[in-house]
Amino acid sequence: MTTAQLAGQLLMGGIAAAHPDPAQLGTLRANHVGSVMLTGRSTAGTSATRGIVDGFRGQADRVAGRQVGLLVATDQEGGRVQVLNGPGFSAIPSGLTQGSWPAATLRTQAAGWAQQLKAAGVNLNLAPVADVVPAALGARNIPIGSFQREYGHTADTVTSHTSAFAAGFAQAGVMTTLKHFPGLGQVIGNTDTTANVVDSVTTAGSSSLTPFRAGIRAGSPFVMISSATYAKIDPKHLAAFSPTVIDHLLRGQLGFKGVVISDDLGNAVAVRSFSPAQRAVNFIAAGGDMILTVRPSTVPAMAQAIQTRMRQDASFRAKVNGSVRRILDAKRSAGLLDCR
């Protein structure tokens, strides 16, 4: 791969699920972006969504004559966080409702939801939510509790149900993403809409990390990193820019070997004080692999910054190579690579 292609594999750009903007798709193609997230809300159904996905799937890069397929992701948690709707898609209940079911029931249901995504051409779900929201906090927890995105209020319930959800998706051949490490259950503010969101409770040994530990042991291919700050883990950095959170805690202590993906680094208020170039470089330097931006307009600056740092810094280039290998391994598992 060229340096530009390597940088492009580290990026996931958002496009509207209902009506993709041709100019935005052009920006992703020009920057060799290797993954796409369907955003917003669509009621088009599985067949129409598949047509949209097939329409841009051909823009994936080719290396040595072979196509490096696009990862196509979306947010299909359920409740108020379900991007794809319409004919062929179930109305998925909230995480809190799913958490009230027996785990075996959730696994069966999740396998069906995964088949629907597969039919629509989606091979990665940015779910399940592994955050534990204490009952005493409940809906005052704006990013998770106010939307009932959590599976429950104890680590045990969240662990059993994130595991069941992920197992159902794995059974159907669609990858999942544990989020938002090391947890958004103890915060008040939403990093998408608020700056300086701080968790002053969670430690590296908190029981709320149990769902992540279990998911990693079960082979979760992706973990998404929060953009909050964790005062008792690394008070000096947002988690997305923290080597302590990503390299030491997630990789070192929890043993995660898959793809570390950011929460949105394009439009989130939590990262507004950083330029798009800084966001991209800081995340990769901290040990992250895949940069999610729901704003394609940030992609050129991010891609260019990665390439510039690669040319300047051999250790950063080595990090990029390691990240690309992890991403390609995930793509190979999803049947997107021909490595013969």
Side-chain angles (χ1 to χ4, degrees):
M1 288 184 172
T2 64
T3 299
Q5 287 176 322
L6 291 168
Q9 286 298 312
L10 305 187
L11 291 161
M12 175 181 281
I15 59 161
H19 301 289
D21 182 327
Q24 292 182 338
L25 284 170
T27 297
L28 300 187
R29 183 171 60 250
N31 289 277
H32 308 279
V33 170
S35 301
V36 171
M37 178 189 178
L38 302 178
T39 64
R41 293 292 181 269
S42 169
T43 56
T46 51
S47 296
T49 302
R50 181 58 179 256
I52 288 169
V53 171
D54 285 348
F56 62 71
R57 205 183 280 286
Q59 73 178 46
D61 264 22
R62 300 185 78 83
V63 177
R66 298 178 187 274
Q67 191 174 61
V68 181
L70 290 176
L71 276 176
V72 180
T74 199
D75 268 333
Q76 201 82 340
E77 299 173 17
R80 290 168 65 183
V81 184
Q82 180 173 345
V83 171
L84 301 177
N85 303 272
F89 288 114
S90 300
I92 304 172
S94 71
L96 210 50
T97 296
Q98 294 174 43
S100 71
W101 298 346
T105 300
L106 177 55
R107 176 174 176 155
T108 300
Q109 291 292 318
W113 302 331
Q115 290 285 5
Q116 295 166 5
L117 286 184
K118 199 172 188 178
V122 176
N123 42 39
L124 173 64
N125 193 2
L126 300 178
V129 170
D131 308 314
V132 180
V133 180
L137 196 53
R140 289 189 298 124
N141 171 263
I142 295 171
I144 310 299
S146 69
F147 297 101
Q148 299 190 339
R149 297 169 70 193
E150 74 274 31
Y151 287 104
H153 303 299
T154 67
D156 284 350
T157 298
V158 176
T159 299
S160 59
H161 286 69
T162 51
S163 297
F165 186 98
F169 268 73
Q171 178 184 323
V174 177
M175 295 185 292
T176 50
T177 309
L178 292 169
K179 64 184 187 185
H180 309 77
F181 188 84
L184 284 175
Q186 293 283 358
V187 304
I188 299 295
N190 184 342
T191 55
D192 286 338
T193 55
T194 309
N196 304 313
V197 175
V198 178
D199 175 331
S200 57
V201 176
T202 302
T203 70
S206 291
S207 64
S208 57
L209 267 61
T210 305
F212 293 101
R213 291 182 191 276
I216 289 165
R217 278 199 304 270
S220 178
F222 284 74
V223 171
M224 179 180 286
I225 302 294
S226 151
S227 293
T229 300
Y230 295 80
K232 293 189 174 178
I233 300 174
D234 180 357
K236 295 181 179 177
H237 300 94
L238 303 184
F241 304 149
S242 169
T244 302
V245 170
I246 300 176
D247 261 348
H248 298 283
L249 181 55
L250 180 58
R251 293 262 189 233
Q253 292 184 38
L254 271 65
F256 182 60
K257 293 181 170 57
V259 177
V260 175
I261 185 171
S262 73
D263 204 345
D264 173 45
L265 296 183
N267 206 38
V269 173
V271 297
R272 287 269 173 91
S273 62
F274 300 86
S275 70
Q278 289 171 323
R279 297 170 207 171
V281 169
N282 289 354
F283 179 67
I284 301 302
D289 299 313
M290 183 177 286
I291 300 151
L292 169 60
T293 173
V294 300
R295 289 182 61 202
S297 60
T298 63
V299 162
M302 289 178 165
Q304 194 55 55
I306 292 167
Q307 292 174 65
T308 299
R309 181 62 68 90
M310 286 172 71
R311 286 190 285 266
Q312 295 170 343
D313 183 340
S315 66
F316 185 85
R317 187 178 183 94
K319 282 180 179 289
V320 169
N321 286 334
S323 292
V324 172
R325 287 191 188 98
R326 283 186 284 272
I327 291 164
L328 293 180
D329 193 47
K331 289 187 172 187
R332 181 186 54 77
S333 297
L336 299 172
L337 286 186
D338 176 6
C339 297
R340 286 176 295 169

